[in-house]
Amino acid sequence: MMALAAAGLPQAAGAQEAWPSRSVQMIVPFPPGGQADVTARPVAAALERVFGQAVPVVNRSGAGGILGTSSVARAAPDGYTALMALSSHAVLPESERIQNRTPAYTIEQFAPVARITADPTVFLVAANAPWRSIEELVADAKKRPGAITFGSAGNYSTLHVAMAMFTGSAGIDMLHVPYQGGGPALTALLSGTLHTLASGPGPALAHVKEGRLRALASWGRERLPGFEDVPTFIELGHPEVEFYIWTAVFLPAATPAPVRDRLRQALRQICESDEGLRRALDTAGSPIAYQEGAEFDRFFQQDSARLIRAVQRIGKVD
């Protein structure tokens, strides 16, 4: 095993063995192809270069992210099972409560380690779709309530919440079609099964460049790199429609502080200096937006509160 001292990861006093002494699973609670997966794979590869241990990415999808996330909540708090979460992390327990179900996990069962990326979502349609602008789509949706579909990674997922913000601001009714993750929803849009989709820019960028999809707007405050000709919803007269898909690493809450600190150190190291990771995320259209410690804790609490309010506005779904 690569010496952790060489990686800048000192051994905890009194520890019986250096962590990690074996492989560390990175659980992605969504299918391959979505934003969490696109981020997790180069992060895991970079961590392997630091740790000298395998960091396999395991896609454990189901129930809009609940299945994989709850499995990490129940995992042994030894640092060998980590979660690559999306901004839906705090949304899912609230959605369960709204549906009169006991949440499969709570956010208190997790220790936030670090945020890796934070990307505004992008509003996508197929390249042969009849709408060339958001204004055209809104006008059509007002004429045909419920006729235009939008996909998501599941009920109350980040993609669902983002679209609910837009449809509420525009005063239109669109038909929500939930999938098991962002990857399958994107595949459905590409195949013509769906009309529209909110997507992270990373999974969407290559398809837009290839001319298979068209981006009509983004949820950011500023235009996105790679999507410079795509206006923001704020520019288009929807000042409250601002939303980001972020990815972050969490551990079970009871994980010892020295292990959490070592993983945080490693994540900081690769985000600051691993050119392979930086190139991979830049190429994917999802640049590093690293946060840790009190800064990430504050961001997570504020963002979670905003998203929970949005879910409460959506209310109960069938």
Side-chain angles (χ1 to χ4, degrees):
M1 184 184 74
M2 182 184 296
L4 292 185
L9 301 176
Q11 190 169 333
Q16 296 301 306
E17 62 179 18
W19 181 93
S21 61
R22 53 187 170 87
S23 64
V24 179
Q25 280 195 337
M26 178 77 72
I27 304 298
V28 173
F30 306 99
Q35 191 71 24
D37 186 72
V38 166
T39 304
R41 292 188 181 278
V43 166
L47 287 176
E48 289 181 351
R49 291 190 282 273
V50 172
F51 290 148
Q53 297 286 350
V55 183
V57 173
V58 179
N59 296 91
R60 193 168 292 161
S61 59
I66 291 174
L67 181 64
T69 304
S70 61
S71 75
V72 178
R74 297 189 304 269
D78 54 12
Y80 290 101
T81 305
L83 174 73
M84 181 64 79
L86 292 179
S87 36
S88 57
H89 186 60
V91 165
L92 296 174
E94 184 64 22
S95 71
E96 291 287 277
R97 296 185 188 98
I98 288 174
Q99 297 292 98
N100 298 319
R101 295 191 291 259
T102 300
Y105 72 88
T106 66
I107 59 176
E108 289 76 21
Q109 289 178 275
F110 292 90
V113 180
R115 189 186 77 178
I116 308 300
T117 64
D119 303 315
T121 42
V122 179
F123 188 95
L124 300 173
V125 300
N128 61 356
W131 316 290
R132 308 292 301 188
S133 67
I134 287 294
E135 292 86 352
E136 289 181 4
L137 183 137
V138 168
D140 190 13
K142 287 183 175 179
K143 293 175 184 176
R144 302 185 297 139
I148 301 172
T149 60
F150 72 91
S152 79
N155 286 325
Y156 305 109
S157 66
T158 52
L159 306 184
H160 185 192
V161 172
M163 285 296 297
M165 289 180 177
F166 161 58
T167 58
S169 176
I172 57 176
D173 178 21
M174 295 174 66
L175 179 62
H176 176 219
V177 183
Y179 288 81
Q180 290 297 312
L186 184 59
T187 298
L189 181 66
L190 288 163
S191 70
T193 305
L194 280 176
H195 294 132
T196 70
L197 178 69
S199 171
L205 182 60
H207 299 297
V208 172
K209 285 185 174 180
E210 291 167 3
R212 301 180 67 193
L213 297 177
R214 185 185 308 137
L216 300 187
S218 76
W219 273 258
R221 183 156 290 276
E222 298 178 354
R223 295 193 180 195
L224 283 166
F227 296 88
E228 288 84 0
D229 59 341
V230 179
T232 68
F233 278 110
I234 293 173
E235 291 178 64
L236 297 173
H238 301 279
E240 300 302 317
V241 181
E242 183 178 1
F243 182 84
Y244 301 86
I245 294 180
W246 50 260
T247 60
V249 177
F250 290 79
L251 288 169
T255 304
V259 173
R260 298 199 308 267
D261 291 343
R262 287 179 187 180
L263 179 56
R264 183 179 297 111
Q265 263 188 298
L267 290 168
R268 183 191 316 126
Q269 177 181 333
I270 64 175
C271 286
E272 288 179 348
S273 61
D274 192 297
E275 288 304 316
L277 172 63
R278 186 171 297 277
R279 279 196 305 272
L281 293 179
D282 284 349
T283 299
S286 186
I288 292 169
Y290 186 81
Q291 283 187 344
E292 64 171 47
E295 182 183 27
F296 176 49
D297 290 346
R298 183 168 54 253
F299 169 84
F300 177 58
Q301 293 301 324
Q302 292 174 347
D303 190 68
S304 296
R306 180 175 64 85
L307 295 178
I308 287 170
R309 288 194 296 270
V311 169
Q312 290 169 343
R313 287 196 297 269
I314 292 172
K316 192 172 182 177
V317 299
D318 295 331

